Coordinates of all heavy atoms in Angstrom, one line a residue:
L1 N 0.9 -1.2 0.0 CA 0.0 0.0 0.0 C 0.9 1.2 0.0 O 1.8 1.3 0.8 CB -0.9 0.0 1.2 CG -1.7 1.3 1.5 CD1 -2.8 1.4 0.4 CD2 -2.4 1.2 2.8
R2 N 0.6 2.2 -0.9 CA 1.3 3.4 -1.0 C 0.3 4.5 -1.0 O -0.5 4.6 -1.9 CB 2.2 3.5 -2.2 CG 3.1 4.8 -2.2 CD 4.1 4.7 -3.3 NE 3.6 5.0 -4.6 CZ 3.5 6.3 -5.0 NH1 3.8 7.3 -4.3 NH2 3.0 6.5 -6.2
I3 N 0.3 5.3 0.1 CA -0.7 6.4 0.1 C 0.0 7.6 -0.5 O 1.1 8.0 -0.1 CB -1.0 6.7 1.6 CG1 -1.7 5.5 2.2 CG2 -2.0 7.9 1.7 CD1 -1.8 5.6 3.7
V4 N -0.6 8.2 -1.5 CA 0.1 9.2 -2.3 C -0.1 10.6 -1.7 O 0.6 11.5 -2.1 CB -0.4 9.2 -3.8 CG1 0.0 7.9 -4.5 CG2 -1.9 9.4 -3.9
K5 N -1.1 10.8 -0.8 CA -1.4 12.1 -0.3 C -2.1 11.9 1.1 O -3.0 11.1 1.2 CB -2.2 13.0 -1.2 CG -2.4 14.4 -0.8 CD -3.2 15.2 -1.8 CE -3.5 16.6 -1.3 NZ -4.4 17.3 -2.2
G6 N -1.6 12.7 2.1 CA -2.3 12.7 3.4 C -1.9 11.5 4.3 O -2.6 11.2 5.2
D7 N -0.8 10.9 4.0 CA -0.4 9.7 4.8 C -0.1 10.1 6.2 O -0.2 9.3 7.2 CB 0.8 9.0 4.2 CG 2.0 9.8 4.1 OD1 1.9 11.0 3.9 OD2 3.1 9.2 4.2
D8 N 0.2 11.4 6.5 CA 0.4 11.9 7.8 C -0.9 12.0 8.6 O -0.9 12.2 9.8 CB 1.1 13.2 7.8 CG 0.3 14.3 7.1 OD1 -0.3 14.0 6.1 OD2 0.4 15.5 7.6
K9 N -2.0 11.9 7.9 CA -3.3 11.9 8.6 C -3.9 10.5 8.9 O -4.9 10.4 9.5 CB -4.4 12.6 7.7 CG -3.9 14.0 7.2 CD -4.0 15.0 8.3 CE -3.8 16.5 7.9 NZ -2.5 16.7 7.2
V10 N -3.1 9.5 8.5 CA -3.6 8.1 8.8 C -3.0 7.6 10.1 O -1.8 7.8 10.3 CB -3.2 7.2 7.6 CG1 -3.7 5.7 8.0 CG2 -3.9 7.6 6.3
R11 N -3.8 7.1 11.0 CA -3.3 6.5 12.2 C -3.6 5.0 12.1 O -4.7 4.6 11.8 CB -4.1 7.0 13.4 CG -3.8 8.5 13.7 CD -2.4 8.8 14.1 NE -2.1 10.2 14.3 CZ -1.6 11.0 13.4 NH1 -1.3 10.6 12.2 NH2 -1.4 12.3 13.6
W12 N -2.5 4.2 12.4 CA -2.6 2.8 12.3 C -2.7 2.1 13.7 O -2.1 2.6 14.6 CB -1.4 2.2 11.6 CG -1.3 2.6 10.2 CD1 -0.6 3.7 9.7 CD2 -1.9 2.0 9.1 NE1 -0.7 3.8 8.3 CE2 -1.5 2.8 7.9 CE3 -2.8 0.9 8.9 CZ2 -2.0 2.4 6.6 CZ3 -3.2 0.6 7.7 CH2 -2.8 1.3 6.5
Y13 N -3.6 1.1 13.8 CA -3.7 0.4 15.0 C -3.6 -1.1 14.7 O -4.3 -1.6 13.7 CB -5.1 0.7 15.7 CG -5.2 2.1 16.1 CD1 -5.8 3.0 15.3 CD2 -4.7 2.5 17.3 CE1 -5.9 4.4 15.6 CE2 -4.8 3.9 17.7 CZ -5.4 4.8 16.8 OH -5.5 6.1 17.2
S14 N -2.8 -1.8 15.4 CA -2.5 -3.2 15.1 C -2.9 -4.2 16.1 O -2.8 -3.9 17.3 CB -1.0 -3.4 14.8 OG -0.7 -2.6 13.7
T15 N -3.4 -5.4 15.7 CA -3.5 -6.5 16.5 C -2.5 -7.5 16.1 O -1.6 -7.2 15.2 CB -4.9 -7.1 16.4 OG1 -5.1 -7.6 15.1 CG2 -6.0 -6.1 16.8
Q16 N -2.5 -8.8 16.5 CA -1.5 -9.7 16.1 C -1.7 -10.1 14.6 O -0.7 -10.5 13.9 CB -1.6 -11.0 16.9 CG -1.1 -10.8 18.3 CD -1.2 -12.1 19.1 OE1 -1.9 -13.0 18.8 NE2 -0.3 -12.2 20.2
K17 N -2.9 -10.0 14.1 CA -3.2 -10.5 12.7 C -3.4 -9.4 11.7 O -3.4 -9.6 10.5 CB -4.4 -11.4 12.7 CG -4.1 -12.7 13.5 CD -5.3 -13.6 13.3 CE -5.0 -14.9 14.0 NZ -6.0 -15.9 13.9
V18 N -3.8 -8.2 12.1 CA -4.2 -7.1 11.2 C -3.8 -5.8 11.7 O -3.8 -5.5 12.9 CB -5.7 -7.2 10.9 CG1 -6.5 -6.9 12.1 CG2 -6.1 -6.4 9.7
R19 N -3.6 -4.8 10.8 CA -3.5 -3.4 11.2 C -4.6 -2.7 10.5 O -5.0 -3.0 9.3 CB -2.1 -2.8 10.9 CG -1.9 -2.6 9.4 CD -0.5 -1.9 9.2 NE -0.3 -1.7 7.8 CZ 0.4 -0.7 7.3 NH1 1.0 0.1 8.1 NH2 0.5 -0.5 6.0
R20 N -5.2 -1.7 11.2 CA -6.3 -1.0 10.6 C -5.9 0.5 10.5 O -5.3 1.0 11.5 CB -7.5 -1.2 11.5 CG -8.1 -2.5 11.4 CD -9.3 -2.7 12.4 NE -10.0 -3.9 12.2 CZ -9.7 -5.0 12.9 NH1 -8.7 -5.1 13.7 NH2 -10.4 -6.1 12.7
G21 N -6.2 1.1 9.4 CA -5.9 2.5 9.3 C -7.1 3.4 9.4 O -8.2 3.1 8.8
F22 N -7.0 4.5 10.2 CA -8.2 5.4 10.4 C -7.7 6.8 10.1 O -6.6 7.2 10.3 CB -8.6 5.3 11.8 CG -9.2 4.0 12.2 CD1 -8.3 3.0 12.7 CD2 -10.5 3.7 12.1 CE1 -8.8 1.8 13.1 CE2 -11.0 2.5 12.5 CZ -10.2 1.5 13.0
C23 N -8.7 7.6 9.7 CA -8.4 9.1 9.5 C -8.3 9.7 10.9 O -9.1 9.5 11.7 CB -9.6 9.7 8.7 SG -9.5 11.5 8.6
S24 N -7.2 10.4 11.1 CA -6.9 11.0 12.4 C -7.8 12.2 12.6 O -7.8 12.7 13.7 CB -5.4 11.4 12.5 OG -5.1 12.4 11.6
I25 N -8.4 12.7 11.6 CA -9.2 13.9 11.7 C -10.7 13.6 12.1 O -11.2 14.1 13.0 CB -9.2 14.8 10.4 CG1 -7.8 15.2 10.2 CG2 -10.2 16.0 10.5 CD1 -7.6 15.9 8.8
C26 N -11.3 12.7 11.3 CA -12.7 12.4 11.5 C -12.9 10.9 12.1 O -14.1 10.6 12.5 CB -13.5 12.6 10.3 SG -13.2 11.3 9.0
G27 N -11.9 10.1 12.1 CA -12.1 8.8 12.7 C -12.5 7.7 11.7 O -12.7 6.6 12.1
S28 N -12.8 8.1 10.5 CA -13.3 7.1 9.5 C -12.3 6.0 9.3 O -11.1 6.1 9.3 CB -13.5 7.8 8.1 OG -14.5 8.7 8.2
S29 N -12.9 4.8 9.2 CA -12.1 3.6 8.9 C -11.7 3.6 7.4 O -12.5 3.9 6.6 CB -13.0 2.3 9.2 OG -12.2 1.2 8.8
L30 N -10.4 3.4 7.2 CA -9.9 3.6 5.8 C -9.3 2.3 5.3 O -9.6 1.9 4.1 CB -8.8 4.7 5.7 CG -9.2 6.1 6.2 CD1 -8.0 7.0 6.3 CD2 -10.3 6.6 5.2
F31 N -8.5 1.6 6.1 CA -7.8 0.4 5.6 C -7.9 -0.8 6.5 O -8.0 -0.6 7.7 CB -6.3 0.7 5.4 CG -6.1 2.0 4.5 CD1 -5.6 3.1 5.1 CD2 -6.3 1.9 3.2 CE1 -5.4 4.3 4.3 CE2 -6.1 3.1 2.4 CZ -5.7 4.2 3.0
F32 N -7.9 -2.0 6.0 CA -7.8 -3.2 6.7 C -6.7 -4.0 6.1 O -6.8 -4.5 4.9 CB -9.1 -4.0 6.6 CG -9.2 -5.2 7.4 CD1 -9.7 -5.2 8.7 CD2 -8.8 -6.4 6.8 CE1 -9.8 -6.4 9.4 CE2 -8.9 -7.6 7.6 CZ -9.4 -7.6 8.9
D33 N -5.6 -4.2 6.8 CA -4.4 -4.7 6.2 C -3.9 -5.9 7.0 O -3.3 -5.8 8.0 CB -3.3 -3.6 6.2 CG -2.0 -4.0 5.5 OD1 -2.0 -5.1 4.8 OD2 -1.0 -3.3 5.7
P34 N -4.2 -7.2 6.5 CA -3.8 -8.4 7.1 C -2.2 -8.4 7.2 O -1.6 -8.1 6.2 CB -4.3 -9.5 6.3 CG -5.4 -8.9 5.5 CD -5.0 -7.5 5.3
L35 N -1.7 -8.7 8.3 CA -0.2 -8.6 8.5 C 0.5 -9.8 7.8 O 1.7 -9.7 7.5 CB 0.2 -8.5 10.0 CG -0.4 -7.2 10.6 CD1 0.0 -7.2 12.1 CD2 0.3 -6.0 9.9
D36 N -0.1 -11.0 7.8 CA 0.5 -12.1 7.1 C 0.4 -12.0 5.6 O -0.6 -12.5 5.0 CB -0.1 -13.4 7.6 CG 0.7 -14.6 7.2 OD1 1.5 -14.5 6.2 OD2 0.5 -15.7 7.8
Q37 N 1.4 -11.4 5.0 CA 1.3 -11.1 3.6 C 1.5 -12.4 2.7 O 1.2 -12.4 1.5 CB 2.3 -10.1 3.1 CG 2.0 -8.7 3.7 CD 0.7 -8.1 3.2 OE1 0.6 -8.0 2.0 NE2 -0.2 -7.8 4.1
H38 N 2.0 -13.5 3.4 CA 2.1 -14.8 2.7 C 0.7 -15.4 2.5 O 0.4 -16.0 1.5 CB 3.0 -15.7 3.4 CG 4.4 -15.2 3.5 ND1 5.2 -15.2 2.4 CD2 5.1 -14.8 4.5 CE1 6.4 -14.7 2.7 NE2 6.4 -14.4 4.0
K39 N -0.2 -15.2 3.5 CA -1.6 -15.8 3.4 C -2.5 -14.8 2.7 O -3.4 -15.2 2.0 CB -2.1 -16.0 4.8 CG -1.6 -17.3 5.4 CD -2.3 -17.5 6.8 CE -1.8 -18.7 7.5 NZ -2.5 -18.8 8.8
N40 N -2.2 -13.5 2.8 CA -3.1 -12.5 2.3 C -2.3 -11.5 1.5 O -1.6 -10.6 2.1 CB -3.8 -11.8 3.5 CG -4.5 -12.7 4.4 OD1 -5.5 -13.3 4.0 ND2 -4.0 -12.9 5.6
D41 N -2.5 -11.5 0.2 CA -1.8 -10.6 -0.6 C -2.8 -9.5 -1.1 O -2.8 -9.0 -2.2 CB -1.2 -11.3 -1.8 CG -2.2 -11.9 -2.7 OD1 -3.4 -12.1 -2.3 OD2 -1.8 -12.3 -3.9
W42 N -3.5 -9.0 -0.2 CA -4.5 -7.9 -0.5 C -4.6 -7.0 0.7 O -4.2 -7.3 1.8 CB -5.9 -8.5 -0.8 CG -6.4 -9.4 0.3 CD1 -6.2 -10.8 0.4 CD2 -7.2 -9.0 1.5 NE1 -6.8 -11.2 1.6 CE2 -7.4 -10.2 2.2 CE3 -7.6 -7.8 2.0 CZ2 -8.1 -10.2 3.4 CZ3 -8.3 -7.8 3.2 CH2 -8.6 -9.0 3.9
I43 N -5.2 -5.8 0.5 CA -5.4 -4.8 1.5 C -6.9 -4.3 1.3 O -7.2 -3.9 0.1 CB -4.4 -3.6 1.5 CG1 -3.0 -4.1 1.8 CG2 -4.9 -2.5 2.4 CD1 -2.0 -3.1 1.6
G44 N -7.7 -4.3 2.3 CA -9.0 -3.7 2.2 C -9.0 -2.2 2.3 O -8.4 -1.7 3.1
V45 N -9.7 -1.6 1.3 CA -9.8 -0.1 1.3 C -11.3 0.2 1.4 O -12.1 -0.3 0.6 CB -9.2 0.5 0.0 CG1 -9.4 2.0 0.0 CG2 -7.7 0.1 -0.1
A46 N -11.7 1.1 2.3 CA -13.0 1.5 2.4 C -13.4 2.3 1.2 O -12.9 3.4 1.0 CB -13.2 2.3 3.7
L47 N -14.4 1.8 0.5 CA -14.8 2.5 -0.8 C -15.4 3.9 -0.5 O -15.3 4.8 -1.4 CB -15.7 1.7 -1.6 CG -15.1 0.4 -2.2 CD1 -16.1 -0.4 -3.0 CD2 -13.9 0.7 -3.0
G48 N -15.9 4.1 0.7 CA -16.5 5.4 1.0 C -15.4 6.4 1.2 O -15.7 7.6 1.2
A49 N -14.1 6.0 1.2 CA -13.0 7.0 1.3 C -12.6 7.5 0.0 O -11.7 8.4 -0.1 CB -11.9 6.3 2.0
I50 N -13.1 6.9 -1.1 CA -12.7 7.3 -2.4 C -13.6 8.4 -3.0 O -14.8 8.3 -2.9 CB -12.7 6.1 -3.4 CG1 -11.7 5.0 -2.9 CG2 -12.5 6.5 -4.8 CD1 -11.8 3.7 -3.7
H51 N -12.9 9.5 -3.4 CA -13.7 10.6 -4.0 C -14.0 10.2 -5.4 O -13.2 9.7 -6.2 CB -12.8 11.9 -4.0 CG -12.6 12.4 -2.6 ND1 -13.5 13.2 -2.0 CD2 -11.6 12.1 -1.7 CE1 -13.0 13.5 -0.8 NE2 -11.9 12.8 -0.6
G52 N -15.2 10.5 -5.8 CA -15.6 10.3 -7.2 C -16.0 8.8 -7.5 O -16.2 8.0 -6.5
A53 N -16.1 8.5 -8.7 CA -16.5 7.1 -9.1 C -15.5 6.1 -8.7 O -14.3 6.3 -8.8 CB -16.7 7.1 -10.6
T54 N -16.0 5.0 -8.1 CA -15.0 3.9 -7.8 C -14.8 3.0 -8.9 O -13.8 2.2 -8.9 CB -15.6 3.1 -6.6 OG1 -16.8 2.4 -7.1 CG2 -15.9 3.9 -5.4
N55 N -15.7 3.0 -9.9 CA -15.6 2.1 -11.1 C -15.4 0.6 -10.7 O -14.6 -0.1 -11.2 CB -14.4 2.5 -12.0 CG -14.6 3.9 -12.6 OD1 -15.7 4.2 -13.1 ND2 -13.6 4.7 -12.6
T56 N -16.2 0.2 -9.7 CA -16.2 -1.1 -9.2 C -17.6 -1.6 -9.0 O -18.5 -0.7 -8.9 CB -15.3 -1.3 -8.0 OG1 -15.1 -2.7 -7.7 CG2 -15.9 -0.6 -6.8
T57 N -17.8 -2.9 -8.8 CA -19.1 -3.4 -8.5 C -18.9 -4.5 -7.4 O -17.8 -5.1 -7.3 CB -19.8 -4.0 -9.7 OG1 -18.9 -5.1 -10.2 CG2 -20.1 -3.0 -10.8
L58 N -20.0 -4.8 -6.7 CA -19.9 -5.8 -5.7 C -19.9 -7.2 -6.4 O -20.6 -7.3 -7.4 CB -21.1 -5.7 -4.8 CG -21.2 -4.5 -3.9 CD1 -22.5 -4.5 -3.1 CD2 -20.0 -4.4 -3.0
K59 N -19.2 -8.1 -5.8 CA -19.2 -9.5 -6.4 C -19.8 -10.5 -5.4 O -20.3 -11.5 -5.7 CB -17.8 -9.9 -6.7 CG -17.2 -9.2 -7.9 CD -16.0 -9.8 -8.4 CE -15.3 -9.0 -9.4 NZ -15.8 -8.8 -10.7
I60 N -19.6 -10.2 -4.1 CA -20.1 -11.2 -3.1 C -20.2 -10.4 -1.7 O -19.6 -9.4 -1.5 CB -19.0 -12.3 -2.9 CG1 -19.6 -13.4 -2.1 CG2 -17.7 -11.8 -2.4 CD1 -18.7 -14.7 -2.1
H61 N -21.1 -10.9 -0.9 CA -21.2 -10.4 0.5 C -20.5 -11.4 1.4 O -20.7 -12.6 1.2 CB -22.7 -10.3 0.9 CG -23.5 -9.3 0.0 ND1 -23.4 -8.0 0.2 CD2 -24.3 -9.5 -1.0 CE1 -24.1 -7.3 -0.7 NE2 -24.7 -8.3 -1.5
I62 N -19.8 -10.9 2.3 CA -19.1 -11.8 3.2 C -19.5 -11.5 4.7 O -20.0 -10.4 5.0 CB -17.5 -11.7 3.1 CG1 -17.1 -10.3 3.3 CG2 -17.1 -12.2 1.7 CD1 -15.5 -10.1 3.4
F63 N -19.3 -12.5 5.5 CA -19.6 -12.4 7.0 C -21.1 -12.0 7.1 O -21.5 -11.3 8.0 CB -18.7 -11.4 7.7 CG -17.3 -11.8 7.7 CD1 -16.4 -11.2 6.8 CD2 -16.9 -12.8 8.6 CE1 -15.0 -11.6 6.9 CE2 -15.5 -13.2 8.6 CZ -14.6 -12.6 7.7
V64 N -21.9 -12.6 6.3 CA -23.4 -12.4 6.3 C -24.0 -12.9 7.7 O -24.9 -12.3 8.2 CB -24.1 -13.0 5.1 CG1 -25.6 -13.0 5.2 CG2 -23.6 -12.3 3.8
A65 N -23.4 -13.9 8.2 CA -23.9 -14.4 9.5 C -23.8 -13.4 10.6 O -24.6 -13.4 11.6 CB -23.1 -15.7 9.9
D66 N -22.9 -12.4 10.4 CA -22.7 -11.4 11.5 C -23.5 -10.1 11.2 O -23.3 -9.1 11.9 CB -21.2 -11.1 11.6 CG -20.5 -12.3 12.1 OD1 -21.0 -13.1 12.9 OD2 -19.3 -12.5 11.6
K67 N -24.2 -10.0 10.1 CA -24.9 -8.7 9.8 C -26.0 -8.4 10.8 O -26.5 -9.3 11.4 CB -25.5 -8.8 8.3 CG -26.7 -9.6 8.2 CD -27.3 -9.5 6.8 CE -28.6 -10.3 6.7 NZ -29.6 -9.9 7.7
G68 N -26.4 -7.2 10.9 CA -27.5 -6.8 11.7 C -28.8 -7.4 11.3 O -29.0 -7.6 10.1
D69 N -29.7 -7.7 12.2 CA -31.0 -8.3 11.8 C -32.0 -7.3 11.3 O -33.1 -7.6 11.0 CB -31.6 -9.1 13.0 CG -31.9 -8.2 14.2 OD1 -31.5 -7.0 14.2 OD2 -32.4 -8.8 15.2
Y70 N -31.5 -6.1 11.3 CA -32.4 -5.0 10.8 C -32.4 -4.7 9.3 O -33.0 -3.8 8.9 CB -32.0 -3.7 11.6 CG -30.6 -3.5 11.7 CD1 -29.8 -2.9 10.7 CD2 -29.9 -3.9 12.9 CE1 -28.5 -2.7 10.8 CE2 -28.5 -3.7 13.0 CZ -27.8 -3.1 12.0 OH -26.5 -3.0 12.1
Y71 N -31.6 -5.5 8.6 CA -31.7 -5.4 7.1 C -31.5 -6.7 6.5 O -31.0 -7.6 7.1 CB -30.7 -4.3 6.6 CG -29.3 -4.7 6.7 CD1 -28.6 -5.3 5.6 CD2 -28.5 -4.4 7.8 CE1 -27.3 -5.6 5.7 CE2 -27.2 -4.7 7.9 CZ -26.6 -5.4 6.8 OH -25.3 -5.7 6.8
S72 N -31.9 -6.8 5.2 CA -31.7 -8.0 4.4 C -31.0 -7.6 3.2 O -31.0 -6.5 2.7 CB -33.1 -8.6 4.1 OG -33.8 -7.7 3.3
I73 N -30.3 -8.6 2.7 CA -29.5 -8.4 1.5 C -30.3 -9.1 0.3 O -30.5 -10.3 0.4 CB -28.1 -9.1 1.6 CG1 -27.4 -8.4 2.8 CG2 -27.3 -8.9 0.3 CD1 -26.1 -9.1 3.1
A74 N -30.8 -8.3 -0.6 CA -31.7 -8.8 -1.6 C -31.2 -8.5 -3.0 O -32.0 -8.3 -3.9 CB -33.1 -8.3 -1.3
D75 N -29.9 -8.4 -3.2 CA -29.4 -8.0 -4.6 C -29.1 -9.2 -5.4 O -28.6 -9.0 -6.6 CB -28.3 -7.0 -4.5 CG -27.1 -7.6 -3.6 OD1 -27.1 -8.8 -3.4 OD2 -26.2 -6.8 -3.3
G76 N -29.3 -10.4 -4.9 CA -29.0 -11.6 -5.7 C -27.6 -12.0 -5.8 O -27.3 -13.1 -6.4
L77 N -26.7 -11.3 -5.2 CA -25.3 -11.7 -5.2 C -25.0 -12.8 -4.2 O -25.7 -13.0 -3.2 CB -24.4 -10.5 -4.9 CG -24.4 -9.4 -5.9 CD1 -23.6 -8.2 -5.3 CD2 -23.8 -9.8 -7.2
P78 N -23.9 -13.6 -4.4 CA -23.6 -14.7 -3.5 C -23.4 -14.1 -2.1 O -22.9 -13.0 -1.9 CB -22.3 -15.3 -4.1 CG -22.3 -14.8 -5.5 CD -23.0 -13.5 -5.6
Q79 N -23.7 -14.9 -1.1 CA -23.5 -14.5 0.3 C -22.8 -15.6 1.1 O -23.3 -16.7 1.2 CB -24.9 -14.3 1.0 CG -25.7 -13.2 0.3 CD -27.0 -13.0 1.0 OE1 -27.2 -13.2 2.2 NE2 -28.0 -12.4 0.3
N80 N -21.6 -15.3 1.5 CA -20.8 -16.2 2.4 C -21.2 -15.9 3.8 O -21.2 -14.7 4.2 CB -19.3 -16.0 2.2 CG -18.8 -16.8 1.0 OD1 -19.6 -17.4 0.3 ND2 -17.5 -16.8 0.9
Q81 N -21.5 -16.9 4.6 CA -21.8 -16.7 6.0 C -20.6 -16.2 6.7 O -20.8 -15.5 7.7 CB -22.4 -18.0 6.6 CG -23.7 -18.4 6.0 CD -24.8 -17.4 6.1 OE1 -25.1 -16.9 7.1 NE2 -25.3 -16.9 4.9
Q82 N -19.4 -16.5 6.3 CA -18.2 -16.0 7.0 C -17.3 -15.3 6.0 O -17.4 -15.3 4.9 CB -17.5 -17.1 7.7 CG -18.4 -17.8 8.7 CD -17.6 -18.6 9.7 OE1 -16.4 -18.6 9.7 NE2 -18.3 -19.3 10.6
Ligands
ZN1 ZN1 -11.4 12.0 7.8

């Protein structure tokens, strides 16, 4: 991950398995970065943090078993319980 602007505004908090990046100004969650790069060669980026069009679409819902009971997912996409 290379932040091209505003990296001084990101605060990182780590556990044994992951580090999470938050905006130090408003507290928004920005990044989810698994620390074991051998198992996980990806970094989660909060799409709400992107200005303008994301040019992406959803492919799957994950951790559906943990979603709030106050809404349903009815877009027809695959749903993984975990
Ligand atoms: Zn912010």
Side-chain angles (χ1 to χ4, degrees):
L1 172 68
R2 186 171 78 86
I3 301 169
V4 296
K5 185 178 177 186
D7 62 330
D8 60 322
K9 305 288 188 298
V10 177
R11 296 292 179 264
W12 294 97
Y13 297 92
S14 298
T15 62
Q16 288 183 338
K17 294 184 177 182
V18 66
R19 70 177 184 151
R20 292 176 171 87
F22 296 89
C23 173
S24 65
I25 297 171
C26 70
S28 293
S29 177
L30 301 171
F31 307 108
F32 183 92
D33 184 14
L35 295 176
D36 188 343
Q37 294 295 305
H38 295 291
K39 285 184 180 176
N40 305 292
D41 61 349
W42 55 269
I43 296 172
V45 178
L47 291 181
I50 296 174
H51 293 271
T54 63
N55 296 314
T56 188
T57 58
L58 296 177
K59 292 192 187 295
I60 191 170
H61 298 281
I62 58 174
F63 296 102
V64 172
D66 298 325
K67 75 172 182 58
D69 63 356
Y70 42 83
Y71 70 92
S72 61
I73 300 171
D75 56 13
L77 293 173
Q79 298 183 25
N80 274 8
Q81 293 305 302
Q82 297 198 7

